[in-house]
């Protein structure tokens, strides 16, 4: 079993400006100060505001480009576009060490998972996220929270080794997503519990779940999301083909893979360090079959 919880917390609370390099930001700030100084000097000396207006428009476009890339980095948009651009591979024809995209039915290996809140069994991946609104503190961990916005307060995210049956060739491969493996999940969690300002009373199942994790059950604004992939679901994985004693495996790339510049989407390169796990679009409705509704308690 592979614990991905710390990675999820770091992603949610990361304050970096990825995928924009830090050096690039310093250069942009320097150019902004120089350009602003020249524009103001021109406005005062020549009394012509054309340069200043043009400079402000250019700055607005650059800021929009930065925020667009930042937003897509947080939502893994560039990785999703990269995933869709890869052609489906045939495991029968795939070579050793080849980066492949395989879609097929998932089946549990020697270890299966159970989702934290709904107790869904026979899962290959499970993720439960608890969000708090405001700056309230929870007992299990200390994280940075901002006022007037939702912040991740608690996380349980796990993956395990599983098998995938290639829909093209019918071959079965072992996907190494267990302990010690790097995994990039592209699974969207469903909103199970969402308290409101008019109703902050917790249900007995939620109180029990909070109590088992030593989290305060005081009335406050909470949002609980859960996502999982069960045995029999149609999934898509991206990784490196490795064969050992007639056993075909999909493992993480030995080196970081770059998505490259996606100019049609105005996205900068993003590094991929691990096996990509996604749910096939046709199987979205089969994931969390009973958790599609938002529930107010």
């Amino acid at each position: 079993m592979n614990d991905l919880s710390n990675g999820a917390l770091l992603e949610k609370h990361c304050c970096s400006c990825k995928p924009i390099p830090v050096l690039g930001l310093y250069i942009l700030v320097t150019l902004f100060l120089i350009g602003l100084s020249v524009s103001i000097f021109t406005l005062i000396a020549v009394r012509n505001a054309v340069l200043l207006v043009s400079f402000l428009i250019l700055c607005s476009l650059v800021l929009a480009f930065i925020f667009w890339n930042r937003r897509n980095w947080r939502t893994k948009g560039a990785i999703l576009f990269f995933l869709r651009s890869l052609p489906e591979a045939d495991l029968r024809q795939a070579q050793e060490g080849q980066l492949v995209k395989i879609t097929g039915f998932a089946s549990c290996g020697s270890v299966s998972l159970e989702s934290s809140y709904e107790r869904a069994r026979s899962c290959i991946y499970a993720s439960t996220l608890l969000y708090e609104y405001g700056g309230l503190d929870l007992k299990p961990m200390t994280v940075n929270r901002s006022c007037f916005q939702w912040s991740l307060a608690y996380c349980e995210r796990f993956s395990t080794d599983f098998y995938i049956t290639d829909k093209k060739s019918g071959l079965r491969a072992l996907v190494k997503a267990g302990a010690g493996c790097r995994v990039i999940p592209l699974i969207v969690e469903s909103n199970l519990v969402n308290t409101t300002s008019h109703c902050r009373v917790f249900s007995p199942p939620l109180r029990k779940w909070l109590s088992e994790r030593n989290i305060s059950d005081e009335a406050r604004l909470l949002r609980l999301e859960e996502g999982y992939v069960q045995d029999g679901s149609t999934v898509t994985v991206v990784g490196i083909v490795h064969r050992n004693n007639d056993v075909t495996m999909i493992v993480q790339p030995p080196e970081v893979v770059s998505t490259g510049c996606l100019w049609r989407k105005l996205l900068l390169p993003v590094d991929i360090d691990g096996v990509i796990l996604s749910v096939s679009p046709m199987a979205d409705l089969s994931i969390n079959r009973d958790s599609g509704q938002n529930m107010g308690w």
Side-chain angles (χ1 to χ4, degrees), residues 42-103:
T42 303
L43 177 64
I44 295 175
V46 187
R47 298 185 181 280
N48 189 338
V50 175
L51 181 60
L52 179 60
V53 173
S54 302
F55 175 75
L56 293 177
I57 293 175
L58 179 61
C59 288
S60 300
L61 294 175
V62 173
L63 284 175
F65 176 76
I66 293 175
F67 283 122
W68 168 250
N69 275 270
R70 172 62 177 166
R71 177 181 177 275
N72 277 275
W73 180 79
R74 294 288 296 253
T75 59
K76 298 179 180 173
I79 299 179
L80 282 169
F81 291 131
F82 175 77
L83 178 65
R84 293 168 187 165
S85 67
L86 286 177
E88 296 281 355
D90 187 333
L91 266 181
R92 195 184 304 275
Q93 301 176 357
Q95 303 296 321
E96 175 75 16
Q98 179 182 343
L99 181 70
V100 295
K101 170 184 172 182
I102 302 295
T103 298

Side-chain angles (χ1 to χ4, degrees), residues 57-264:
I57 293 175
L58 179 61
C59 288
S60 300
L61 294 175
V62 173
L63 284 175
F65 176 76
I66 293 175
F67 283 122
W68 168 250
N69 275 270
R70 172 62 177 166
R71 177 181 177 275
N72 277 275
W73 180 79
R74 294 288 296 253
T75 59
K76 298 179 180 173
I79 299 179
L80 282 169
F81 291 131
F82 175 77
L83 178 65
R84 293 168 187 165
S85 67
L86 286 177
E88 296 281 355
D90 187 333
L91 266 181
R92 195 184 304 275
Q93 301 176 357
Q95 303 296 321
E96 175 75 16
Q98 179 182 343
L99 181 70
V100 295
K101 170 184 172 182
I102 302 295
T103 298
F105 294 104
S107 55
C108 294
S110 58
V111 177
S112 63
L113 303 174
E114 181 181 77
S115 67
S116 174
Y117 189 77
E118 289 195 310
R119 300 296 184 185
R121 297 184 177 181
S122 300
C123 298
I124 64 169
Y125 169 87
S127 173
T128 305
L129 309 176
L130 179 67
Y131 292 89
E132 265 193 345
Y133 188 82
L136 301 177
D137 292 329
L138 291 181
K139 294 180 180 179
M141 61 187 64
T142 301
V143 294
N144 296 325
R145 297 182 179 86
S146 301
C147 295
F148 311 115
Q149 71 177 20
W150 290 98
S151 299
L152 182 62
Y154 183 81
C155 171
E156 292 182 13
R157 179 174 288 178
F158 299 95
S159 66
T160 185
D161 294 343
F162 65 94
Y163 292 95
I164 183 172
T165 303
D166 181 21
K167 68 177 184 179
K168 281 194 172 184
S169 64
L171 292 181
R172 196 182 190 211
L174 174 64
V175 181
K176 298 295 291 182
C181 300
R182 294 186 294 272
V183 180
I184 302 176
L186 302 178
I187 312 298
V188 179
E189 290 83 9
S190 298
N191 195 348
L192 300 183
V193 177
N194 193 6
T195 61
T196 66
S197 56
H198 302 288
C199 182
R200 303 189 183 188
V201 180
F202 298 159
S203 66
L206 179 58
R207 287 183 178 274
K208 179 182 178 182
W209 187 87
L210 294 173
S211 176
E212 290 174 350
R213 288 151 183 82
N214 295 323
I215 303 176
S216 172
D217 59 357
E218 296 178 1
R220 60 193 185 277
L221 292 178
L222 290 181
R223 188 176 81 237
L224 189 142
E225 299 178 355
E226 187 165 82
Y228 49 82
V229 181
Q230 288 183 290
D231 186 282
S233 301
T234 303
V235 299
T236 299
V237 297
V238 176
I240 298 295
V241 175
H242 177 64
R243 291 184 172 90
N244 184 19
N245 296 330
D246 296 329
V247 177
T248 303
M249 295 183 288
I250 306 296
V251 300
Q252 65 191 30
E255 299 178 352
V256 174
V257 177
S258 175
T259 61
C261 291
L262 304 174
W263 294 117
R264 296 180 64 180

